[in-house]
Amino acid sequence: MTRPAILAIDQGTTSSRAIVFDSYGRVVTVAQEEFAQIYPRPGWVEHYPEVIWATVLSTVRKALAEADRAEIEIACLGVTNQRETTLVWERSTGRPIHNAIVWQDRRTAKQCQALEAKGHGKRVAERAGLVLDPYFSATKIAWILDNVPGARRRADNGDLAFGTVESFLINRLTGGKVHVTDATNASRTSLYALEAGDWDDELLALFDIPRAVLPEVVDCAGALGTTDEEVLGRAIAITGAAGDQQAAAIGQACLAPGEMKSTYGTGAFLLLNTGDKPVISTNRLLATTAWRLDGKSSFALEGSILSAGATIQWLRDGLGIIARASEVESLAEGAEADSGVYLVPAFTGLGAPHWNADARGLICGLTRGAGRAEIARAALDSTAYQTRDLLDAMAADGAEAARLKVDGGMAANDALMQRLADICDVDTVRPVNTEITAWGAGFLAGLGAGLFDSLDEAAELWRADREFKPKMRAADRDRLVAGWRDAVRRTMSE
């Protein structure tokens, strides 16, 4: 190892992980802990903030202990996180005043619909690059301030702090000394003006958010803070941060306009690099900050799928037709060919390009011959069909790519990746490094600490594992996609 190692925190929707990488992106050690989801009401999703923190602290300590045993020096730390998930805490104590409201949560759908009805959607799209939807942080913040007794008064007085998960973790890691958010996470709040690169007074007024609660917006690489020795037992420079999907795009070396990746985790998220100018979609996709370095932003066009791996978790935990997520492919292999069964996983509404918070999940096309295998097949296929919807919307916006880089837990499934290539009619490439999201945060940390000279080194370290080329006949593809779109129409009309 010619250079020191990098510690990456990857705080996700269902688990927290700490990974030590060497300076070539190779995994040295991994620690992971899952945690429970909270569903107070239909459509509501929360996390316990102290559980998030406890799992992060535990996994980091385990990873550091492994590194110490191997006599590996940790040079710096990077953080990546589930985006849009919203926390508000007391500045004086660091104590959250409410559970974290998760990105999947739909409790503020009516508020978003009311703003849309008043004609504010265009302004939000033009300034923030986003659609009016409960997915984003702004209405979540307002909900907490309006529903926790005394919170709005305390926020106005500067006693409370808002942050997405990376902001909360950096605050905790530094012993409460630092309150920042990186530009990628800021761009997911509906409060941040993309081109100006800062919080927007018009958007703050629209969503009724006091500026006093907001963190400072910083670059994705640089001196963001230092861990408090009482927290980790040592001081480590925090030098990188990005939302999980932007970190994955960096890890996948989608560095030039037109390069595209899709990450398949709890949800699925497709990002297309659009260069130094945001592209405001006319097809209900999102403009977002891809990264900000030295004060200069690059941008991406994004499509967000709310349920991908979560659909497989539902087969396991909700229906009980599999005991482990890894069993789904073998079960699906037994499905009747062309069964006509479709599953639209609108458990918390539909994301891009529909953005329908009221849609609910649907299984259709059932016959007496349909059973567990057909439902498993339909659940897997729903990820491919939803990706096709995003690619079609991007094409309508004039943005097409020659190939799709894939990552995330579901990308390890060869049969699913081939199905994705077939349904989407696009060459699909999986990298050797399966820890792409955490590596993106690690690379940014290395860049911020001076271990790397430029972002271009991410491309030099990227390697392809396998490419999946479309094999399906066009007529078969068109028939299957038409059936999917009919199922989606039924979902939204229920």
Side-chain angles (χ1 to χ4, degrees):
M1 198 177 297
T2 59
R3 291 178 286 195
I6 301 164
L7 173 64
I9 295 171
D10 182 359
Q11 203 299 300
T13 308
T14 59
S15 71
S16 299
R17 301 191 306 155
I19 303 177
V20 175
F21 293 96
D22 70 16
S23 55
Y24 299 96
R26 296 175 299 208
V27 174
V28 176
T29 186
V30 180
Q32 178 172 352
E33 292 183 16
E34 293 188 0
F35 55 85
Q37 311 294 295
I38 307 166
Y39 304 102
R41 300 182 190 176
W44 292 29
V45 190
E46 297 180 356
H47 290 157
Y48 293 120
E50 297 301 344
V51 170
I52 290 176
W53 172 241
T55 56
V56 167
L57 196 58
S58 174
T59 54
V60 166
R61 287 172 173 167
K62 289 175 184 176
L64 288 175
E66 287 291 326
D68 288 346
R69 280 191 284 272
E71 298 183 344
I72 294 170
E73 177 189 355
I74 303 295
C76 53
L77 186 160
V79 182
T80 187
N81 59 290
Q82 50 166 315
R83 305 171 304 169
E84 299 95 17
T85 295
T86 296
L87 299 101
V88 177
W89 63 90
E90 296 176 339
R91 289 188 183 275
S92 60
T93 67
R95 184 177 63 201
I97 66 169
H98 191 274
N99 282 342
I101 301 180
V102 180
W103 56 272
Q104 298 162 309
D105 189 280
R106 314 304 280 173
R107 75 186 64 188
T108 60
K110 289 184 179 179
Q111 292 92 319
C112 292
Q113 291 163 359
L115 290 170
E116 187 73 59
K118 293 177 181 177
H120 295 301
K122 183 178 180 182
R123 179 160 48 139
V124 172
E126 288 174 347
R127 302 183 80 84
L130 308 176
V131 299
L132 271 169
D133 192 84
Y135 175 42
F136 305 104
S137 304
T139 56
K140 293 175 170 42
I141 304 169
W143 189 95
I144 292 174
L145 297 185
D146 290 335
N147 286 273
V148 175
R152 187 162 286 283
R153 174 184 52 78
R154 297 178 70 194
D156 290 337
N157 292 338
D159 297 334
L160 301 180
F162 150 73
T164 42
V165 171
E166 96 297 343
S167 181
F168 174 67
L169 294 179
I170 292 172
N171 187 257
R172 284 286 178 95
L173 287 165
T174 59
K177 298 180 182 69
V178 176
H179 184 212
V180 298
T181 186
D182 74 276
T184 68
N185 278 292
S187 74
R188 311 299 295 184
T189 61
S190 298
L191 302 173
Y192 178 85
L194 281 181
E195 295 206 64
D198 202 356
W199 304 119
D200 184 90
D201 287 332
E202 284 191 35
L203 294 174
L204 291 175
L206 177 65
F207 292 102
D208 196 18
I209 306 300
R211 184 178 279 270
V213 304
L214 299 177
E216 177 189 357
V217 181
V218 296
D219 287 350
C220 296
L224 307 184
T226 303
T227 64
D228 191 298
E229 291 193 19
E230 292 187 9
V231 177
L232 292 183
R234 69 191 78 184
I236 303 174
I238 304 171
T239 53
D244 52 8
Q245 303 313 315
Q246 287 92 335
I250 291 168
Q252 285 276 37
C254 293
L255 307 180
E259 294 186 324
M260 176 172 60
K261 72 89 199 174
S262 190
T263 299
Y264 297 96
T266 302
F269 304 88
L270 192 153
L271 263 70
L272 177 81
N273 187 316
T274 61
D276 59 4
K277 288 288 184 183
V279 173
I280 303 303
S281 174
T282 58
N283 291 277
R284 296 179 67 74
L285 299 175
L286 310 174
T288 195
T289 301
W291 60 79
R292 193 175 91 180
L293 300 172
D294 298 322
K296 183 179 179 180
S297 295
S298 291
F299 301 95
L301 194 63
E302 177 175 335
S304 306
I305 295 169
L306 302 184
S307 186
T311 309
I312 309 308
Q313 291 174 333
W314 177 71
L315 296 185
R316 181 193 65 193
D317 302 334
L319 290 188
I321 66 173
I322 54 174
R324 293 179 296 277
S326 58
E327 297 173 2
V328 68
E329 183 55 39
S330 59
L331 177 59
E333 286 176 357
E336 179 185 351
D338 295 330
S339 69
V341 176
Y342 290 89
L343 190 160
V344 184
F347 303 113
T348 54
L350 287 172
H354 313 287
W355 293 113
N356 188 317
D358 295 325
R360 287 295 176 262
L362 176 73
I363 301 175
C364 64
L366 294 173
T367 66
R368 284 294 300 271
R372 296 166 60 247
E374 285 70 28
I375 292 173
R377 175 81 272 157
L380 284 172
D381 285 354
S382 70
T383 298
Y385 288 126
Q386 290 178 99
T387 303
R388 170 64 185 260
D389 288 346
L390 298 181
L391 291 172
D392 286 348
M394 285 192 172
D397 278 331
E400 295 189 63
R403 65 176 181 171
L404 175 64
K405 293 179 176 179
V406 294
D407 58 87
M410 297 179 79
N413 186 323
D414 287 356
L416 176 59
M417 292 301 99
Q418 183 59 55
R419 189 72 163 176
L420 182 69
D422 286 339
I423 294 296
C424 296
D425 194 22
V426 65
D427 291 351
T428 300
V429 186
R430 182 175 63 205
V432 170
N433 185 350
T434 58
E435 299 290 358
I436 281 293
T437 299
W439 170 237
F443 182 88
L444 286 169
L447 186 65
L451 301 184
F452 305 114
D453 294 327
S454 74
L455 204 59
D456 292 337
E457 290 186 54
E460 297 172 12
L461 295 169
W462 185 89
R463 296 287 183 274
D465 169 45
R466 181 170 174 181
E467 185 170 2
F468 301 86
K469 290 185 171 291
K471 298 178 181 178
M472 184 179 289
R473 293 189 312 161
D476 292 337
R477 179 185 303 114
D478 292 345
R479 175 175 49 80
L480 291 170
V481 170
W484 163 257
R485 289 181 176 159
D486 179 63
V488 171
R489 283 191 292 271
R490 296 186 193 193
T491 300
M492 292 192 290
S493 66
E494 287 296 319

